[in-house]
Amino acid sequence: MKELTFHQIVEKLQKLEPFHFARVGDGEMMCMAGKQGKNCDDHKYFVDLGQALRTIYKKEQDYFVGLQPVKHGLFTDFDKYPQQWCNADVLHDASIKGWMPALFHALSNRNVVMIGNHSLAKLNFINVMIEIPKKNAWQKRQEIWSHLKQIINEHFDKKLVLLFSAGMMSGVLIDEIANNEQINRLVTTIDTGSVFDPYVGKATRSYHNQIIERENAS
């Protein structure tokens, strides 16, 4: 099992050390298993998305791949995929502990691109925003990928940090970059999931309200 701690993430960002971190949770596992329906964010389990994710994770990847703890009710198909899983919730755990200012500070000194919902543009460390649909962004993946490649090409020499809050599609985009030898050592990719939502006033997970209350009190 690979280890990726919160402090390692902050240190890598401070040292301009590129790395790639994708996350697999209940939704991704259900999608890969060919289940019908939607995940907790109301994103549909598309057949071709499930196929893309299966293709990625059936091969052991060199980059960090986080798995949500089984205690969250994870659909337990993970043993089919030969990954050295790390903790998918490393950033969420740090947020609950009140450690996020260290991450915000590290990101404020980098060139940061956010791929996510428009509300995340409020984060003051974001330099470039690639807005995606609130639901089923996978249907717009070609447009999103084209826009992302354009940004990377335009800022190739700036060691960009790409933050993905793009649902189940995030893993596909991160893999595309992490396995591109021309750019994977110059770009950092992090699947941030919903971790930033409470910092823009949105409670999309059960623990977010306590963070919003803490932020409002500070």
Side-chain angles (χ1 to χ4, degrees):
M1 182 173 183
K2 288 185 179 180
E3 182 182 40
L4 181 65
T5 68
F6 176 76
H7 300 294
Q8 286 174 326
I9 291 173
V10 171
E11 184 177 27
K12 287 175 183 292
L13 290 170
Q14 291 172 334
K15 292 183 175 180
L16 308 185
E17 180 184 334
F19 68 99
H20 305 281
F21 176 39
R23 301 171 65 249
V24 174
D26 299 67
E28 286 81 3
M29 282 292 176
M30 296 285 278
C31 192
M32 286 191 283
K35 303 293 184 181
Q36 295 185 348
K38 302 175 182 180
N39 71 359
C40 63
D41 293 314
D42 208 26
H43 298 303
K44 183 179 176 181
Y45 298 138
F46 291 101
V47 173
D48 52 349
L49 172 57
Q51 177 60 53
L53 291 169
R54 283 196 301 273
T55 299
I56 291 169
Y57 297 126
K58 280 187 175 179
K59 173 186 175 183
E60 184 173 353
Q61 299 297 339
D62 291 332
Y63 55 87
F64 296 101
V65 182
L67 181 70
Q68 274 192 312
V70 175
K71 67 181 181 181
H72 292 316
L74 182 69
F75 181 74
T76 54
D77 245 0
F78 62 88
D79 56 347
K80 293 183 178 180
Y81 302 98
Q83 303 303 318
Q84 295 185 49
W85 304 106
C86 60
N87 178 17
D89 287 345
V90 58
L91 293 178
H92 298 265
D93 294 342
S95 182
I96 291 170
K97 294 175 181 177
W99 294 352
M100 292 299 274
L103 179 66
F104 296 158
H105 179 72
L107 289 171
S108 68
N109 293 312
R110 298 297 302 272
N111 295 290
V112 178
V113 180
M114 170 62 77
I115 301 92
N117 186 266
H118 70 93
S119 64
L120 296 173
K122 299 174 185 177
L123 296 165
N124 60 16
F125 51 78
I126 303 299
N127 300 110
V128 178
M129 185 75 203
I130 297 180
E131 184 179 339
I132 65 172
K134 290 183 178 180
K135 295 182 182 179
N136 299 324
W138 179 248
Q139 293 177 307
K140 297 289 185 179
R141 63 191 179 278
Q142 293 180 344
E143 296 172 33
I144 295 166
W145 177 234
S146 178
H147 191 181
L148 182 55
K149 285 194 293 184
Q150 179 185 348
I151 296 297
I152 293 172
N153 290 334
E154 289 177 354
H155 303 278
F156 191 71
D157 59 340
K158 295 183 179 179
K159 292 197 173 181
L160 297 175
V161 177
L162 310 178
L163 304 179
F164 291 84
S165 182
M168 294 177 286
M169 178 179 67
S170 296
V172 179
L173 297 180
I174 288 173
D175 183 78
E176 186 76 30
I177 295 168
N179 282 295
N180 185 320
E181 294 183 358
Q182 292 183 323
I183 61 174
N184 63 6
R185 296 185 182 277
L186 294 174
V187 175
T188 290
T189 60
I190 306 174
D191 183 346
T192 55
S194 62
V195 75
F196 293 127
D197 285 354
Y199 300 95
V200 295
K202 294 176 61 180
T204 59
R205 297 294 185 271
S206 58
Y207 75 92
H208 284 173
N209 282 318
Q210 69 184 74
I211 294 173
I212 293 173
E213 291 175 6
R214 186 177 66 206
E215 290 296 303
N216 289 339
S218 62

